[in-house]
Amino acid sequence: MSVMDYLNRKHKVMNCVFEILYDLYGEPTWLRKPKDGQEPEKIIEQWIAELSSYSEVQLRQACYNLFKYKKVATFPKLAHLLAELSDQEKECEQIQKQNNGTPHYFSIEQELMQRDIDNKCCIHIMPVYRDAAEYVLSKMLKDVMGAEEYANLEQKYKNDWPLMRGKKYRKAMELGLFNNFDKILDKISKERSHG
């Protein structure tokens, strides 16, 4: 994936962190004039991997604090931002604490079905929602992300299936893969009735 692809993606690290830091410090030298061995795509991937567990509010505040307290004079390194966030709890840790340490698992298909019930447009049964959600998270997301990046995501969370599914869901939402979910439901429903 090229740098422009990353910059155009709707990811909170790109939309929030890079936008703010770019406005405050200008273009980073590793993007404008990379040194030998510096790969901007890899640097951006690392920023996304390290920062995506924090909320947008935390990320914005960390960026503004770096500038406000003049902690760096040029475009910050990832380490600067991580140091600024070091005393912050990651979003997933906050959610677990709110549940008194008991992990709470979010049912994607149940939420999607409930949304349609609330909007009085639910015409499918739960197994169709389950299969449609799985289609988005497995087939569509893999196609959009690319097989290698998708496999890396699965490998990273292989020991925590609910967290992996949550990460896939968040990524799919960021990429707009659930925007036409009603059409996916219809497709899956037809396949189930003919299969």
Side-chain angles (χ1 to χ4, degrees):
M1 193 172 282
S2 75
V3 172
M4 286 314 296
D5 290 336
Y6 277 112
L7 295 174
N8 291 329
R9 284 171 77 186
K10 300 293 181 218
H11 191 285
K12 70 179 171 187
V13 174
M14 303 314 296
N15 286 352
C16 169
V17 175
F18 273 88
E19 194 173 298
I20 292 169
L21 294 178
Y22 191 90
D23 287 346
L24 296 173
Y25 296 99
E27 192 174 21
T29 53
W30 53 260
L31 187 58
R32 185 179 62 244
K33 251 181 152 177
K35 295 177 186 169
D36 284 344
Q38 274 188 328
E39 296 179 51
E41 296 88 354
K42 297 280 185 213
I43 293 171
I44 293 171
E45 278 178 19
Q46 189 179 9
W47 278 66
I48 290 172
E50 293 287 337
L51 299 175
S52 59
S53 297
Y54 293 97
S55 72
E56 227 173 284
V57 172
Q58 291 171 310
L59 293 172
R60 284 180 189 283
Q61 195 59 53
C63 291
Y64 291 132
N65 285 348
L66 284 175
F67 186 75
K68 181 179 178 181
Y69 300 113
K70 298 180 178 20
K71 295 189 177 184
V72 289
T74 59
F75 197 95
K77 293 181 178 172
L78 176 58
H80 293 125
L81 210 50
L82 289 173
E84 194 62 38
L85 291 162
S86 63
D87 61 342
Q88 302 269 336
E89 279 188 296
K90 293 182 178 180
E91 216 171 17
C92 55
E93 292 166 356
Q94 290 172 358
I95 291 166
Q96 280 191 341
K97 275 204 173 169
Q98 288 169 0
N99 295 320
N100 299 324
T102 308
H104 172 73
Y105 300 119
F106 170 76
S107 171
I108 296 164
E109 47 277 343
Q110 191 173 353
E111 287 292 320
L112 292 166
M113 186 176 195
Q114 188 60 51
R115 179 197 65 191
D116 287 352
I117 290 169
D118 293 344
N119 292 329
K120 298 180 179 18
C121 62
C122 181
I123 58 171
H124 299 287
I125 58 176
M126 181 55 78
V128 175
Y129 278 84
R130 185 193 61 235
D131 291 351
E134 193 55 37
Y135 176 79
V136 172
L137 299 179
S138 297
K139 171 85 175 82
M140 290 175 67
L141 185 60
K142 187 176 184 178
D143 290 347
V144 172
M145 286 177 70
E148 186 178 336
E149 190 179 349
Y150 185 84
N152 289 341
L153 175 74
E154 288 199 317
Q155 182 64 29
K156 187 172 181 182
Y157 300 103
K158 69 179 179 184
N159 295 324
D160 192 342
W161 186 83
L163 183 58
M164 179 198 302
R165 199 155 193 261
K167 293 285 184 185
K168 286 180 181 180
Y169 177 66
R170 177 181 283 176
K171 181 71 89 172
M173 289 296 284
E174 288 169 0
L175 295 169
L177 301 182
F178 281 95
N179 290 356
N180 295 314
F181 194 65
D182 54 332
K183 290 181 175 65
I184 296 166
L185 285 168
D186 292 342
K187 172 188 179 329
I188 297 296
S189 180
K190 284 176 189 164
E191 286 175 5
R192 286 173 64 87
S193 63
H194 294 305

